[in-house]
Amino acid sequence: MNYELLKMAGLGNLDITYIFIGLITFLLIMLILIIIQMVKLSKMIKKYEKFMIGKNAKNLEKDIFGLYEDNKFIKLSIEKNEKDIRMLYKNLEKSFQKIGVVKYDAFAQMGGQLSFCLVLLDENNNGFALNSVHSTEGCYTYTKEIKMGECSISLGDEERKALNIAMGTED
């Protein structure tokens, strides 16, 4: 079987059966690809129809504008919240965050550990030591200012221990 067209294309010795098999294979591949695309298109149409239920162009425009307005409101809220959080952190830095308490007997004849030393510090270890000494004659309270974890007045053993507890350096 010699065909003039195949001879002109340089395929004169080729059997036409192979060409038909190749074409049929190509058509089957194309048919499979078309079916796959139709399934994908069908899914997309269903999603589109679900999205557009009860909506026309004006309703959709309103929805999109509403989403834009909501987005603007959320952005403003986030900026305000960030500003408020920065302010809170700044204020929190100055509040008392660290506490150290030591109870003790100020005098040997007294029992029950009625005397105590209380140290309150902020984030930067600034604050005060409150020492309350209980004796048979009464109760006496003393305060000492703490700056950067140090006191300009010498501290007693209990006051030093309470300060170390507050700063987290107590062993």
Side-chain angles (χ1 to χ4, degrees), residues 5 35 39 94 103 108 147 149 152:
L5 186 59
I35 291 171
V39 169
K94 297 174 186 171
K103 291 180 72 175
K147 288 195 176 201
S152 59

Side-chain angles (χ1 to χ4, degrees), residues 78-137:
I78 288 172
E79 290 171 5
K80 182 187 177 304
N81 288 343
E82 287 174 349
K83 182 181 173 186
D84 289 346
I85 289 170
R86 279 192 298 274
M87 185 183 72
L88 286 172
Y89 274 124
K90 188 176 179 182
N91 291 339
L92 185 63
E93 185 178 294
K94 297 174 186 171
S95 66
F96 293 126
Q97 302 174 24
K98 303 173 186 179
I99 300 170
V101 178
V102 174
K103 291 180 72 175
Y104 63 98
D105 288 325
F107 303 102
Q109 70 272 16
M110 298 292 294
Q113 293 187 334
L114 299 175
S115 299
F116 68 90
C117 181
L118 170 69
V119 174
L120 297 173
L121 301 174
D122 65 7
E123 184 177 317
N124 300 315
N125 291 330
N126 297 321
F128 63 90
L130 178 71
N131 194 353
S132 179
V133 179
H134 183 77
S135 71
T136 55
E137 289 103 33

Side-chain angles (χ1 to χ4, degrees), residues 129 144-155 160 163:
K144 295 179 182 176
E145 186 177 17
I146 310 280
K147 288 195 176 201
M148 302 299 289
E150 296 295 326
C151 184
S152 59
I153 303 170
S154 64
L155 296 174
R160 176 63 56 193
L163 178 62

Side-chain angles (χ1 to χ4, degrees), residues 2 8 12 20 22 32 68 72 76 84 102 108 120 126-127 169:
N2 289 342
M8 287 178 21
F20 282 130
I32 291 170
Y68 173 75
K72 248 174 48 176
L76 291 173
D84 289 346
V102 174
L120 297 173
N126 297 321
T169 58

